[in-house]
Amino acid sequence: MDAIEPEPTRETPASRLREAITIGLLVLALNLAGNGRMSLWDRDEPRFTGAVREMRARGEWLRPTFNGEPRHHKPILIYWLMRAGMAVGGEGPWGARLVSAVAGMATCLLVWRLGRRVFGPTVGRLGALALATAPLMFVESKIATTDATLTLWLVGVQSCVWELGRRDSRAAAAGFWAFLALATMTKGPVGPAFVAVAGLLGWWWGAPTVAWKRLRWRRGLAGFVALTLPWYVAIGLATRGEFYRFALGLQGIGRVTEGIEEHGGFPGYYLVLGMITFFPWSSFLPAAVRAAWKQRKARPEFGYVLGWIVGPLVLLECVRTKLIHYYLPALPPCALLVAWLVEAVARDVKSLRRWPLGSVGIGLLVGFGFVATATLLAGVVVLPWPLRRPALAMAVVLVAGMLLALERIQDNRTLPAFQTLILTWTALGFLVALWFVPAFEPYRMAPKVSRQLAELSKNEGVEPILASLSQPSIIYDLGRRVTILRDRDDLNRHLRTTPAVVAALLPDELKPLLYDRRFRVEDRGTIQGINHDKAREFTVHLVLIRRETDPSRLARRREPLKIK
């Protein structure tokens, strides 16, 4: 297949600026939509947000804590950024998620700029919009975690690599080391590892190697160390090395050698789940990768993009702990490659079916689209009534958009078909954020438990405690340090220092407690709901627990207290 060069287009600086502003505002609106109407989702959102709240309360800048315990999971930069976001947007979910929303927007604008420089204006525009509407990027840009921010820094690194491959530039070299330092301060050595494997495979497959010679290694490394070393030294001294034992031991080596927190995976995990979390753009990816592979020797930009896509994939497949959002920093080149394919097919005035693996892409688009539609229609039948209407609306939008896009593909109008899919997924994103997820909020278990437990604690004038039901979001919503007890002996010791406690207990925890003569348990109601982490319904008992002090009752109690 012959190489297809992008045709020059007439543009002005003003038109480029208008396009960038339009894309930026659209993406930011999508990322911010509904964020204040959704409570924090377990597990990581409340942990990060709670840690920032505790740091603000203590005036702390060095050591994050959650529920009073040290939190050594990530370096400090994300906490600083979220602290700034919460200073602007408040301590609630909207302010906590502000950093991710802005990072997601900035990432799409960097992809827009990079795509224009590598493949032309059309690819930059389509690639940025495809990335913004990809389900994984959409979700990560709306939650208070590290991944959207890390992706921004790594796209910045890769943009500087491309610039240095074209020309010597002090600004690009400085940007490379600055972005790499920011990535390291956000998620540790993951960032440099991603850059290394992407660069190695890119060089092997034909990307310009001159970029790595123009990095000004001495000054660059000195600047990198100056930006990262002070905090890493300070946290090591402040925690007497505990940060390194946890972050590098359990969180680093542990994730490589075993599945942490039950997050294991099968070989090909990222390929399989990536087809879902990058849909519908994943349908075009096999054909795009094959076409790029065939042209990598003639066009070095394809080696650069393929290395960025495949390098992190190989690295992550070697890690035992697998979570799909780990691959997020490699989605930008996927979006650019798909956008390039669409423009190439449109410029070649050929049907997508005539491209190698083009028919496979159409089949994937139809197949996954059918499954998504069937899932939404099933939701219309089985979900509670408030959730049925947004599910039906999403099903209608999805069917209409898919049928129109397929019709345009059939008529060899690939570019309008791609634009139709962008509009469809943008509409779906707004429906999910503004309607479906807020409608699901009343059915979530954790907010119910925290709200009623806080009210019971206030009414009884005693502290709340948690046992196995100790989701971070419950702790965050209670707004105070919460004692978490492991067993009844812990409870007995705790009641020696306080007259009573209120607790949220699962049935398996409550039953043995009712037989234990050391405690007096008073029923305060039950809560039924859905645990979205486990995708099942369950019951929680709210109880008031006192230490039994009456010797006659201690001797007489043989039957358990009956709880309704």
Side-chain angles (χ1 to χ4, degrees):
M1 189 177 297
D2 296 332
I4 301 174
E5 299 289 346
E7 292 182 358
T9 58
R10 294 181 179 179
E11 286 188 315
T12 64
S15 66
R16 287 194 296 270
L17 179 61
R18 284 195 300 270
E19 183 173 291
I21 292 174
T22 301
I23 291 174
L25 290 177
L26 175 63
V27 175
L28 185 61
L30 189 62
N31 292 348
L32 291 175
N35 285 1
R37 300 173 61 192
M38 300 180 288
S39 59
L40 299 176
W41 290 73
D42 285 312
R43 305 176 183 173
D44 289 332
E45 269 204 302
R47 287 171 175 166
F48 280 109
T49 308
V52 174
R53 185 170 63 184
E54 292 182 20
M55 290 177 70
R56 292 185 70 191
R58 302 193 317 270
E60 174 71 62
W61 290 93
L62 180 63
R63 294 175 293 182
T65 62
F66 178 68
N67 200 31
E69 299 293 329
R71 178 163 171 78
H72 299 320
H73 292 67
K74 297 293 183 290
I76 197 64
L77 182 58
I78 191 62
Y79 301 101
W80 290 345
L81 294 175
M82 286 181 63
R83 187 167 180 170
M86 291 166 71
V88 172
E91 287 194 348
W94 198 91
R97 293 163 173 155
L98 183 58
V99 169
S100 291
V102 173
M105 176 199 68
T107 299
C108 291
L109 288 177
L110 276 181
V111 168
W112 170 81
R113 180 179 181 273
L114 180 62
R116 293 172 60 88
R117 289 177 174 268
V118 178
F119 295 114
T122 301
V123 174
R125 178 170 59 254
L126 296 180
L129 293 173
L131 178 65
T133 54
L136 182 58
M137 187 69 191
F138 168 74
V139 171
E140 293 298 327
S141 297
K142 296 182 71 64
I143 60 176
T145 59
T146 59
D147 296 283
T149 304
L150 176 68
T151 300
L152 171 62
W153 306 142
L154 293 183
V155 172
V157 170
Q158 294 291 355
S159 298
C160 293
V161 169
W162 176 255
E163 291 297 324
L164 290 169
R166 298 175 62 205
R167 59 188 177 88
D168 192 10
S169 169
R170 290 185 178 181
F176 173 93
W177 292 108
F179 280 123
L180 193 64
L182 291 170
T184 305
M185 290 292 289
T186 300
K187 211 167 181 178
V190 172
F194 268 42
V195 173
V197 295
L200 179 62
L201 284 185
W203 164 76
W204 190 16
W205 290 337
T209 58
V210 67
W212 306 100
K213 300 177 182 179
R214 295 171 173 170
L215 283 175
R216 293 170 169 81
W217 286 87
R218 289 185 180 179
R219 293 183 179 180
L221 283 173
F224 175 84
V225 170
L227 290 173
T228 58
L229 190 60
W231 180 81
Y232 277 98
V233 170
I235 193 65
L237 294 174
T239 63
R240 298 182 180 181
E242 184 60 30
F243 171 82
Y244 296 109
R245 285 189 289 272
F246 184 88
L248 299 181
L250 179 62
Q251 293 292 307
I253 299 173
R255 290 182 182 271
V256 174
T257 58
E258 58 185 292
I260 300 296
E261 296 180 342
E262 302 179 2
H263 295 315
F266 51 87
Y269 171 92
Y270 292 99
L271 288 175
V272 173
L273 292 190
M275 295 301 294
I276 300 172
T277 57
F278 193 53
F279 184 78
W281 320 120
S282 57
S283 303
F284 301 91
L285 197 55
V289 169
R290 187 187 187 282
W293 178 259
K294 297 287 287 185
Q295 300 188 52
R296 71 190 189 282
K297 294 183 180 179
R299 297 182 63 178
E301 61 264 37
F302 287 124
Y304 161 77
V305 172
L306 289 171
W308 189 357
I309 293 173
V310 179
L313 180 66
V314 173
L315 176 66
L316 292 174
E317 284 292 345
C318 296
V319 176
R320 293 287 297 276
T321 300
K322 299 185 188 299
L323 287 168
I324 189 59
H325 60 256
Y326 290 175
Y327 191 66
L328 182 67
L331 285 195
C334 295
L336 287 177
L337 202 56
V338 166
W340 167 82
L341 173 73
V342 169
E343 187 202 34
V345 173
R347 192 180 304 283
D348 208 21
V349 197
K350 289 182 179 179
S351 169
L352 182 61
R353 295 180 183 276
R354 296 183 59 185
W355 279 64
L357 299 183
S359 296
V360 172
I362 296 173
L364 290 172
L365 187 64
V366 172
F368 279 105
F370 175 80
V371 172
T373 303
T375 301
L376 288 172
L377 291 177
V380 173
V381 176
V382 303
L383 289 173
W385 176 251
L387 296 171
R388 294 182 184 183
R389 289 176 293 174
L392 179 59
M394 288 190 291
V396 170
V397 170
L398 178 60
V399 170
M402 291 288 291
L403 289 178
L404 181 58
L406 289 170
E407 180 185 7
R408 290 178 169 180
I409 290 175
Q410 187 68 26
D411 294 339
N412 298 341
R413 300 171 63 198
T414 307
L415 186 57
F418 197 83
Q419 294 168 339
T420 299
L421 290 174
I422 288 175
L423 289 174
T424 301
W425 254 252
T426 301
L428 287 173
F430 280 114
L431 284 172
V432 169
L434 295 175
W435 195 357
F436 185 83
V437 174
F440 183 72
E441 191 70 17
Y443 300 94
R444 291 186 58 208
M445 192 62 155
K448 287 183 180 182
V449 172
S450 57
R451 184 169 55 250
Q452 294 192 35
L453 189 59
E455 184 178 352
L456 179 60
S457 172
K458 180 180 179 181
N459 293 339
E460 297 289 347
V462 297
E463 69 166 308
I465 65 166
L466 296 173
S468 63
L469 190 70
S470 57
Q471 284 109 318
S473 59
I474 297 178
I475 297 172
Y476 173 82
D477 288 340
L478 288 173
R480 56 181 292 175
R481 183 171 181 175
V482 182
T483 300
I484 301 174
L485 302 179
R486 295 172 297 175
D487 51 37
R488 284 173 286 158
D489 290 336
D490 271 356
L491 175 60
N492 188 47
R493 285 190 290 268
H494 188 71
L495 286 175
R496 292 173 183 171
T497 60
T498 186
V501 295
V502 291
L505 302 177
L506 299 175
D508 290 344
E509 295 173 312
L510 178 60
K511 186 176 180 179
L513 190 65
L514 299 178
Y515 283 95
D516 196 320
R517 299 179 179 182
R518 295 175 293 178
F519 309 109
R520 183 185 300 178
V521 182
E522 299 177 18
D523 181 16
R524 290 296 188 268
T526 60
I527 307 172
Q528 291 184 328
I530 299 173
N531 181 354
H532 67 83
D533 289 336
K534 303 296 184 181
R536 66 168 183 258
E537 293 186 3
F538 68 113
T539 301
V540 174
H541 294 275
L542 297 178
V543 293
L544 175 69
I545 308 173
R546 304 179 192 275
R547 192 161 177 257
E548 183 61 83
T549 57
D550 187 341
S552 63
R553 291 191 177 187
L554 283 169
R556 191 168 58 242
R557 184 184 299 172
R558 296 181 181 276
E559 296 296 329
L561 174 68
K562 301 298 183 183
I563 295 289
K564 296 180 181 180

